[in-house]
Amino acid sequence: MSTLPELQALFNKFDSDGNGKISVTELTRLMEMLAKGTLSPAEIGSLLRKIDKNNDGQVDFMEFVQWIQGGRSRLKKKTTLAKNMEVAAEEIPVDEDTSWPVQLGMTVDIKGSIKRWNLQTGEEVSLMGSRTPAGFRFTSVQSDIEHENLVKKPHKEGSLCCAAVNWSSGACITGAGDNTLKLWSQDGSVDRTFVCKGTEGAPLCVQVSWQKMLMICGTTGCLLKMFQLDDAAATSASQRCEGSDGVNCLDVEWDKRRVVCGSGNNVVLWDYAASKTSTKTLGAHTDTVTALCVDWQQDVAISGSLDRTFCYWDLKTCTKLRSVNHAGAIRCMAGASPYDSVITGDSEGVLRVWDSKSCVCVKKLTGHKDAVLSMSKVESGYMASVGRDATLRLWDLSEGVEKNMMQLGEVIEGNWGIAVSIKPPDI
């Protein structure tokens, strides 16, 4: 008979990150060890729906017990599945290096692939296709059909422009040129589709409060639009912004209900908590604002632009504090909390770390062969970036060195259409 301590020890071997739940990635690894072969996302998704009784996209210990015991919560004679898992568990390396504080990353690319990566080994650990990638097929026609049924309504033609990831559940949101945003569950299925109508335009950037179940996107029509994640038909608020080339970046303070965005050449503050929603244009660059960092505690916003400058703005007085010249056109930015430093990525493929007080470049990170298109938030001194050279690179900011490089595939066309995120160590 299997005992609870035995089952808990077995569960722990497959719960590689020790968070008390078996994720889709961990479940895929387990099942491929049992099957001694590769399984399709559709096959993993079908299995997860049978095991995951509370629909949180993961397998907790009690769900694991019921699964391994053939659907029974009471312990019984050791099952064949339990015996096979014990054999598989013996094959897991025990000397795996876990010294890096960040382990997992996710990229969303212009052609419609959502990929998870092991940042330490450089291996792709799972694929969630928003469209089945060109030339990609599963192991059988039936698997292809199951995948199409699973995805339901993928993005139509139109490049992916933005993404947001919920690392706790594995869900993510993508925005595309077909004027929609889609909420994906961890198994690769589309749960909801959110539509920007007519002249509102296509989503270019998005931020999500998974706790408050709210999402705000910026569009090609210079619109800020808020959606409720639990009701795709409900729009909580929307606001037109001054500008011409769309809202390319935004940052949200969810508790005080304020948004700073880059709308065309302008930096705009939207207070959606006011009885009459209002916007204030803080000032303008001489070219498109492409990136933002906001220190909400200090009420300071930092905007980066194609005009080769980044500017500091006082959100209380709505005035410019200073402007800093930059060697290349800025494509993306990230701040190291509490914004003692700011990192910029430019059109030349260079990342620079700036001291916020002196506005002096203290580190220069090179490796990308073309423009840096996107960068993640800084987590435990690490940050990931993606370039038009179709590489994902992980950086140790304290040392100023590249830790790993992953090849994403083909060279990425255009200026936008890719997003990157790394999993925080505490999740």
Side-chain angles (χ1 to χ4, degrees):
M1 176 182 290
S2 297
T3 65
L4 275 179
E6 288 176 341
L7 292 179
Q8 183 69 65
L10 189 59
F11 177 88
N12 292 344
K13 288 188 177 182
F14 296 110
D15 176 23
S16 57
D17 60 6
N19 70 344
K21 295 188 177 183
I22 294 176
S23 67
V24 168
T25 299
E26 292 163 341
L27 180 64
T28 301
R29 183 185 185 189
L30 163 59
M31 293 310 300
E32 290 184 346
M33 291 176 74
L34 292 174
K36 299 188 182 302
T38 302
L39 299 181
S40 72
E43 290 171 313
I44 295 297
S46 177
L47 175 63
L48 182 63
R49 286 193 295 275
K50 293 177 182 178
I51 304 171
D52 179 22
K53 302 302 182 182
N54 63 1
N55 296 314
D56 67 349
Q58 302 177 92
V59 180
D60 62 31
F61 176 61
M62 291 313 300
E63 290 168 340
F64 178 80
V65 170
Q66 290 188 38
W67 173 38
I68 207 170
Q69 295 290 122
R72 300 175 180 86
S73 56
R74 295 182 61 186
L75 298 181
K76 53 177 283 188
K77 185 178 179 180
K78 187 176 292 185
T79 62
T80 301
L81 178 58
K83 294 176 182 177
N84 291 341
M85 283 190 186
E86 288 175 351
V87 173
E90 295 299 321
E91 300 176 9
I92 299 176
V94 295
D95 58 345
E96 188 173 349
D97 182 10
T98 58
S99 60
W100 292 10
V102 293
Q103 296 286 325
L104 286 177
M106 179 182 285
T107 57
V108 177
D109 71 30
I110 195 169
K111 294 189 175 180
S113 295
I114 307 168
K115 298 179 180 179
R116 291 190 182 91
W117 300 85
N118 183 318
L119 297 175
Q120 189 159 333
T121 65
E123 295 176 332
E124 179 186 325
V125 293
S126 64
L127 168 70
M128 301 161 54
S130 57
R131 297 189 300 273
T132 303
F136 180 82
R137 290 291 180 268
F138 295 110
T139 54
S140 67
V141 174
Q142 183 61 35
S143 295
D144 279 336
I145 295 172
E146 289 176 359
H147 176 71
E148 294 302 322
N149 291 336
L150 180 67
V151 172
K152 299 177 184 175
K153 296 180 179 179
H155 286 295
K156 299 176 182 177
E157 291 303 319
S159 61
L160 297 186
C161 304
C162 54
V165 182
N166 181 354
W167 281 109
S168 295
S169 68
C172 71
I173 286 175
T174 57
D178 60 0
N179 287 31
T180 68
L181 298 112
K182 293 186 181 289
L183 173 62
W184 300 81
S185 65
Q186 193 175 30
D187 65 5
S189 61
V190 176
D191 286 344
R192 292 182 184 85
T193 298
F194 307 85
V195 180
C196 298
K197 301 177 182 178
T199 58
E200 292 177 348
L204 292 175
C205 54
V206 64
Q207 276 208 3
V208 179
S209 171
W210 301 98
Q211 183 178 12
K212 296 180 183 294
M213 296 294 286
L214 292 174
M215 166 176 68
I216 297 179
C217 71
T219 74
T220 54
C222 291
L223 182 79
L224 290 168
K225 187 168 185 178
M226 180 186 294
F227 293 95
Q228 296 175 210
L229 294 186
D230 55 356
D231 187 352
T235 302
S236 297
S238 63
Q239 180 66 47
R240 291 279 179 186
C241 298
E242 183 181 350
S244 57
D245 295 326
V247 176
N248 288 285
C249 50
L250 61 86
D251 202 335
V252 185
E253 185 187 33
W254 295 101
D255 290 335
K256 293 186 178 179
R257 295 187 284 182
R258 297 188 297 170
V259 183
V260 175
C261 72
S263 180
N265 297 1
N266 301 307
V267 179
V268 178
L269 174 64
W270 177 32
D271 180 5
Y272 64 91
S275 55
K276 292 184 178 180
T277 55
S278 61
T279 60
K280 293 180 180 178
T281 299
L282 307 185
H285 285 263
T286 58
D287 207 336
T288 304
V289 178
T290 54
L292 276 173
C293 292
V294 182
D295 185 341
W296 291 106
Q297 290 185 341
Q298 300 297 323
D299 272 322
V300 173
I302 310 166
S303 59
S305 169
L306 298 182
D307 66 4
R308 298 171 180 256
T309 68
F310 61 96
C311 298
Y312 287 74
W313 307 88
D314 187 326
L315 299 182
K316 292 180 179 178
T317 61
C318 296
T319 57
K320 184 191 291 188
L321 296 172
R322 58 187 180 274
S323 179
V324 182
N325 291 325
H326 195 277
I330 297 173
R331 297 289 181 182
C332 49
M333 298 179 73
S337 183
Y339 291 90
D340 293 330
S341 59
V342 175
I343 304 96
T344 58
D346 65 26
S347 57
E348 307 301 320
V350 179
L351 295 101
R352 292 176 172 85
V353 182
W354 301 80
D355 179 82
S356 290
K357 293 181 180 179
S358 64
C359 295
V360 171
C361 178
V362 294
K363 288 187 179 75
K364 185 177 177 181
L365 311 177
T366 58
H368 286 292
K369 307 303 181 186
D370 206 335
V372 183
L373 299 181
S374 178
M375 61 177 66
S376 71
K377 291 182 178 179
V378 178
E379 300 288 354
S380 298
Y382 283 68
M383 186 196 69
S385 63
V386 172
R388 196 184 290 156
D389 59 0
T391 63
L392 164 64
R393 297 173 189 265
L394 182 67
W395 306 90
D396 181 339
L397 297 179
S398 61
E399 298 294 332
V401 297
E402 179 184 305
K403 295 291 288 184
N404 206 355
M405 185 274 286
M406 289 133 275
Q407 191 69 44
L408 300 180
E410 300 177 17
V411 173
I412 299 163
E413 299 177 359
N415 293 329
W416 319 113
I418 194 149
V420 61
S421 175
I422 57 178
K423 182 178 180 180
D426 56 348
I427 292 180

